[in-house]
């Protein structure tokens, strides 16, 4: 056999490593994806003669319908985007703070870590769906939140608005909205916290020791060591959070897409909406990760 | 060198000679008080956060121990007046718990192992090798994460209903294979990095491997390690925290997933499906139609029963894998 050049050899090994994905993608995912694209451009009906679907080409009708005829689509789309712009940075910041706190030594650390991971379980699959439909638990929650009839954010908002005399009203209400959504932010940041935590644990402790000896303050260590070292994971978490916010099954637009497919059998329209949605999400991810990857620090 | 040893050395006499033990000045006292207050604030913050996360679970727990008449009593919020375990008995029966538990466990563990192993290999391939079309294939991974799987799931299901690879099965058996209702589709998807959220794991592993310095690897190559051996004995110990996190995610998501398992497995009686059907099951046990509140109570109890094993797995995993292994992982 002719001796291969190192470069070629590495390329072949690389292909061998990603082989499982290639097989899976080509065999299982590619054709359903293509079908879904074709569905987006067709009127789909379920075939009566043989199993499967009958596709009738209708061009861009489904897309036009989504943007111009459907009364909800544009509103839900802008709502999703707004929700993302506000909540994703909050989630990233919160989960980083939580991970740094959980990485310290304190009694009962394992237990507290387990609690922070709980939202991952509580927000997944069947549990989320049941939680929403459970009237009994919803009743209890209403009872509990009304028990103390004072809300800190409302009081603060009134006080601040009074003091400022109408100046910066939007900022005040924006901040109090974020604070009111704090539960959402905490429960949405379980995975991100775990990812940050496992990144924090691989930072070499000798780096911190060197910083200690040089007389770095904790604040400087956070900005000069911790954040650069976990920055690849900031990118991962950023992308994951965007996707997670967009694809949650209790997201209103996602619900609309799913019911259009399952309840009213409008497969074509449903996949057209899904593709519009995915492309907007891809644009978001592409733009923001371009910006973030400028500051990400890799060893290589 | 650990923190402790540094401190020890600094405390040795020759270091102490020039720095006599600082006296308790006003300045120092202020520092100590400030630090203590900082710790206290953090402690309170942690407690509040934990309570906030736990509250829905606590509500479910308290409801699950209530007798039916407690549910209608508006004076009872958290503590049951008539403590009972009947809800648990009923939920265990309605979910056919032990049988479904074993089914779910086998599926979740095998899916998690397959997904972690295959995604680790693929992630390593993307992180460390240069090959033609690399950018394109990685874009496909991202595409797979981004596109809601629900949009192509019906086509995916059809794909497995008439499963065929380049007409091979049609040539052998005369017709395409019908894989729906077997565990094959879910395992095939997991093993080929195309299952539930696999794209995320690939991405995680890739980012992680990219952040490990190349020097160790190059040293291993120079010392005569092959690619496989380098991966397993040099890179894997460092990647253990992320691998165990991925294992956990994968296990948990498979454990609670209802959409895909009902789509691909149909009648495998997994716990989530049983939990979703608790309402109809109850009706067949009781002679009368159960009240909505009671059904909700049993479903809350069932949710606890669904969550307990996952929480236990998490507690074990995070002690066994994450903490110990990151301590023993290779340090530069």
């Amino acid at each position: 056999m002719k001796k291969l050049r190192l470069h070629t050899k590495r390329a072949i090994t690389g292909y061998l490593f990603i082989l499982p994905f290639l097989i899976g993608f080509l065999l299982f995912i590619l054709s359903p994806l293509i079908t879904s694209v074709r569905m987006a451009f067709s009127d789909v009906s379920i075939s009566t003669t043989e199993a499967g679907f009958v596709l009738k080409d209708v061009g861009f009708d489904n897309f036009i319908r989504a943007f111009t005829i459907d009364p909800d689509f544009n509103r839900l789309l802008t709502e999703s985007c707004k929700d993302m712009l506000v909540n994703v940075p909050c989630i990233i910041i919160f989960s980083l703070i939580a991970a740094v706190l959980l990485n310290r030594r304190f009694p009962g650390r394992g237990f507290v870590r387990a609690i922070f991971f709980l939202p991952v379980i509580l927000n997944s699959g069947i549990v989320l769906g049941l939680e929403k439909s459970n009237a009994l638990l919803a009743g209890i929650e209403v009872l509990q939140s009304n028990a103390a009839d004072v809300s800190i954010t409302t009081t603060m908002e009134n006080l601040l608005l009074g003091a400022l005399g109408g100046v910066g009203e939007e900022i005040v209400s924006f901040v109090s909205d974020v604070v009111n959504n704090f539960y959402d932010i905490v429960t949405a940041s379980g995975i991100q916290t775990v990812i940050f935590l496992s990144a924090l644990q691989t930072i070499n402790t000798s780096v911190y020791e060197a910083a200690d000896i040089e007389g770095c303050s904790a604040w400087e260590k956070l900005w000069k060591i911790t954040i650069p070292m976990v920055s690849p994971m900031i990118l991962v978490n950023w992308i994951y959070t965007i996707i997670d916010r967009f694809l949650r099954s209790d997201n209103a637009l996602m619900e609309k897409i799913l019911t259009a497919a399952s309840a009213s059998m409008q497969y074509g329209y449903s996949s057209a909406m899904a593709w519009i949605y995915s492309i907007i999400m891809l644009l978001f991810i592409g733009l923001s990760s371009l910006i973030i990857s400028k500051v990400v620090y890799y060893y290589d | 060198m650990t923190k402790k040893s540094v401190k020890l050395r600094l405390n040795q006499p020759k270091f102490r000679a020039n720095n006599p033990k600082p006296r308790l000045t006003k300045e120092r006292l202020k520092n100590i008080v400030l630090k203590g207050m900082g710790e206290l604030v953090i402690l309170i913050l942690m407690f509040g956060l934990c309570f906030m996360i736990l509250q829905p679970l606590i509500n479910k727990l308290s409801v699950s121990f209530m007798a039916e008449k407690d549910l209608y009593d508006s004076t009872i919020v958290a503590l049951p007046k008539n403590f009972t375990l009947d809800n648990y008995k009923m939920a265990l029966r309605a979910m056919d718990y032990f049988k479904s538990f074993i089914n779910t466990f086998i599926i979740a563990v095998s899916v998690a192992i397959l997904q972690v192993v295959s995604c680790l290999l693929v992630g390593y391939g993307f992180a460390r090798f240069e090959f033609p079309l690399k950018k394109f294939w990685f874009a496909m991974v991202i595409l797979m994460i981004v596109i809601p799987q629900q949009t192509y799931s019906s086509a995916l299901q059809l794909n497995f209903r008439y499963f065929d690879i380049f007409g091979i099965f049609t040539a052998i058996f005369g017709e395409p294979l019908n894989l729906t209702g077997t565990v094959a589709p879910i395992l095939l998807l997991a093993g080929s990095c195309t299952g539930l959220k696999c794209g995320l794991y690939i991405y995680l592993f890739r980012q992680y491997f990219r952040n490990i310095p190349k020097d160790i690897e190059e040293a291993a190559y120079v010392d005569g390690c092959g690619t496989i051996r380098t991966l397993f004995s040099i890179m894997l110990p460092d990647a253990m925290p992320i691998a165990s996190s991925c294992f956990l995610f994968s296990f948990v998501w498979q454990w609670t997933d209802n959409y895909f398992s009902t789509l691909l497995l149909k009648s495998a009686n997994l716990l989530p499906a049983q939990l979703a059907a608790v309402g109809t099951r109850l009706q067949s046990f009781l002679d009368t139609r159960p009240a909505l509140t009671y059904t909700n109570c049993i479903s809350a109890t069932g949710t606890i029963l669904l969550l307990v094993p996952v929480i236990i797995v998490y507690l074990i995993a995070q002690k066994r894998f994450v903490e110990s292994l990151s301590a023993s992982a290779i340090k530069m």
Side-chain angles (χ1 to χ4, degrees):
Chain A
M1 206 174 97
K2 214 174 82 183
K3 261 210 162 155
L4 294 167
R5 283 211 325 236
L6 181 67
H7 186 73
T8 334
K9 219 171 142 188
R10 292 281 288 179
I12 292 171
T13 330
Y15 260 102
L16 282 179
F17 270 114
I18 68 161
L19 193 66
F21 171 73
L22 291 188
I23 294 175
F25 185 77
L26 295 176
L27 278 187
F28 308 128
I29 302 298
L30 192 61
S31 78
L33 265 187
I34 293 171
T35 320
S36 138
V37 176
R38 276 178 57 208
M39 276 180 174
F41 290 99
S42 353
D43 184 27
V44 184
S45 52
I46 293 187
S47 161
T48 43
T49 47
E50 54 177 322
F53 301 105
V54 180
L55 304 177
K56 204 178 88 204
D57 186 28
V58 290
F60 279 96
D61 276 10
N62 286 324
F63 294 91
I64 294 166
R65 183 177 156 198
F67 281 121
T68 57
I69 299 171
D70 196 301
D72 296 327
F73 185 77
N74 288 331
R75 181 176 56 84
L76 291 175
L77 193 64
T78 37
E79 264 170 27
S80 291
C81 295
K82 232 167 79 188
D83 165 88
M84 202 216 68
L85 282 176
V86 175
N87 281 328
V88 174
C90 292
I91 290 171
I92 298 288
I93 294 168
F94 174 77
S95 55
L96 186 59
I97 294 173
V100 170
L101 286 180
L102 290 177
N103 203 29
R104 293 151 43 98
R105 289 193 180 280
F106 57 89
R109 180 168 71 161
F111 183 66
V112 178
R113 279 186 186 175
I115 291 174
F116 271 77
F117 181 72
L118 268 183
V120 180
I121 308 172
L122 295 178
N123 275 334
S124 66
I126 184 85
V127 186
L128 187 65
L130 282 181
E131 181 97 21
K132 271 190 90 185
S133 62
N134 201 324
L136 177 65
L137 291 174
I140 292 177
E141 257 157 42
V142 169
L143 214 63
Q144 281 167 343
S145 61
N146 289 346
D149 211 8
V150 222
S151 154
I152 297 174
T153 44
T154 327
T155 321
M156 281 296 286
E157 206 179 331
N158 290 339
L159 265 177
L160 276 174
L161 285 181
L164 293 171
V167 186
E169 197 170 330
E170 277 172 24
I171 301 170
V172 173
S173 64
F174 170 78
V175 171
S176 63
D177 270 356
V178 170
V179 177
N180 279 335
N181 282 335
F182 196 55
Y183 178 75
D184 263 357
I185 291 171
V186 173
T187 51
S189 53
I191 295 277
Q192 290 86 336
T193 309
V194 177
I195 292 174
F196 275 138
L197 198 57
S198 60
L200 284 177
Q201 287 181 343
T202 49
I203 301 179
N204 202 332
T205 44
S206 57
V207 183
Y208 286 113
E209 278 159 23
D212 276 336
I213 290 171
E214 300 285 342
C216 271
S217 66
W219 182 248
E220 283 164 339
K221 277 191 278 180
L222 175 72
W223 284 97
K224 303 281 182 202
I225 303 173
T226 312
I227 289 184
M229 294 297 258
V230 298
S231 60
M233 290 299 154
I234 292 182
L235 185 59
V236 176
N237 276 341
W238 180 267
I239 293 177
Y240 174 75
T241 315
I242 293 177
I243 294 165
D244 189 49
R245 292 306 294 187
F246 265 97
L247 297 189
R248 277 167 73 96
S249 52
D250 63 344
N251 179 319
L253 189 55
M254 204 58 211
E255 241 164 45
K256 187 178 160 60
I257 292 172
L258 291 184
T259 44
S262 58
S264 43
M265 295 288 181
Q266 297 166 318
Y267 288 103
Y269 184 46
S270 162
S271 52
M273 285 195 291
W275 276 102
I276 296 172
Y277 199 39
S278 310
I279 287 167
I280 288 175
M281 188 160 43
L282 272 176
L283 282 180
F284 257 125
I285 291 174
L287 276 179
S288 53
S289 54
L290 258 183
I291 298 167
I292 296 175
S293 56
K294 288 263 186 279
V295 293
V296 169
Y297 168 81
Y298 291 110
Y299 265 113
D300 54 284
Chain B
M1 200 161 33
T2 61
K3 222 169 204 159
K4 218 171 191 173
S5 62
V6 172
K7 268 191 194 143
L8 272 177
R9 252 190 25 197
L10 288 174
N11 277 336
Q12 274 165 7
K14 68 170 176 183
F15 280 90
R16 291 256 300 270
N18 297 333
N19 315 310
K21 195 182 174 193
R23 271 177 313 176
L24 195 68
T25 55
K26 216 172 173 184
E27 190 86 338
R28 216 170 122 72
L29 196 69
K30 204 175 132 197
N31 273 343
I32 292 173
V33 170
L34 271 180
K35 209 175 171 195
M37 270 169 65
E39 292 283 312
L40 194 69
V41 168
I42 289 172
L43 210 72
I44 293 170
L45 191 73
M46 292 287 232
F47 178 78
L49 287 172
C50 288
F51 182 72
M52 197 160 83
I53 295 168
L54 282 179
Q55 204 192 17
L57 205 65
I58 294 172
N59 283 347
K60 284 195 200 79
L61 258 179
S62 65
V63 161
S64 74
F65 289 115
M66 285 181 192
E68 198 180 345
K69 63 180 171 188
D70 284 10
L71 300 174
Y72 305 112
D73 190 339
S74 60
T75 60
I76 296 173
V77 178
L79 290 175
K81 216 176 249 174
N82 303 297
F83 185 85
T84 172
L85 287 173
D86 286 350
N87 294 335
Y88 281 95
K89 282 181 201 150
M90 189 51 102
L92 284 177
R93 227 178 101 198
M95 287 163 74
D96 194 3
Y97 190 76
F98 298 102
K99 225 178 107 196
S100 338
F101 175 85
I102 291 169
N103 286 345
T104 320
F105 191 78
I106 293 171
I107 296 267
V109 166
S110 42
V111 163
I113 290 174
L114 279 173
Q115 282 186 344
V116 169
V117 170
S118 59
C119 292
L120 187 141
L121 293 176
V122 174
Y124 185 65
F126 276 121
R128 277 298 194 255
F129 295 91
E130 288 304 323
F131 43 86
L133 288 179
K134 178 172 156 178
K135 286 231 165 84
F136 171 76
W137 291 120
F138 197 68
M140 290 300 118
V141 173
I142 299 292
L143 191 73
M144 208 176 67
I145 312 178
V146 171
I147 288 166
Q149 282 185 303
Q150 284 89 343
T151 56
Y152 60 83
S153 57
S154 47
L156 188 69
Q157 193 193 5
L158 276 181
N159 199 1
F160 281 112
R161 172 65 187 80
Y162 302 101
F163 188 69
D164 209 344
I165 303 172
F166 310 126
I168 296 172
F169 291 120
T170 320
I172 300 172
F173 301 108
E175 58 178 333
L177 289 177
N178 178 7
L179 290 180
T180 45
T182 67
V183 289
I186 222 162
L187 294 182
L188 278 174
L189 285 179
S192 60
C193 298
T194 40
L196 199 62
K197 305 213 184 193
C198 272
L200 172 70
Y201 309 137
I202 297 181
Y203 194 84
L204 268 177
F205 277 122
R206 171 195 175 251
Q207 284 296 81
Y208 202 82
F209 280 127
R210 275 183 76 173
N211 201 29
I212 295 177
K214 269 185 178 156
D215 315 359
I216 331 172
E217 236 181 323
E218 275 158 13
Y221 283 135
V222 171
D223 284 347
C225 262
T227 318
I228 299 289
R229 191 151 162 229
T230 312
L231 171 63
F232 281 99
S233 49
I234 309 290
M235 302 302 273
L236 204 55
D238 250 7
M240 228 41 206
I242 201 80
S244 50
S245 310
C246 282
F247 180 85
L248 267 179
F249 298 158
S250 172
F251 180 83
V252 168
W253 279 324
Q254 185 55 45
W255 186 271
T256 55
D257 169 64
N258 191 28
Y259 185 80
F260 267 89
S261 34
T262 39
L263 189 80
L264 297 173
L265 286 170
K266 297 262 188 292
S267 57
N269 291 336
L270 301 181
L271 278 177
Q274 303 280 39
L275 183 57
V278 147
T280 41
R281 288 291 186 77
L282 269 184
Q283 205 162 340
S284 64
F285 288 144
L286 306 168
D287 298 331
T288 54
R289 194 188 163 85
L292 181 67
T293 316
Y294 184 62
T295 318
N296 280 340
C297 167
I298 296 294
S299 134
T301 316
T303 312
I304 297 230
L305 286 172
L306 176 83
L307 293 180
V308 164
V310 196
I311 293 173
I312 292 173
V313 166
Y314 174 70
L315 285 176
I316 296 170
Q318 88 120 14
K319 263 218 158 59
R320 288 267 163 84
F321 298 112
V322 182
E323 296 206 338
S324 65
L325 278 164
S326 75
S328 71
I330 299 165
K331 296 280 178 230
M332 290 77 75

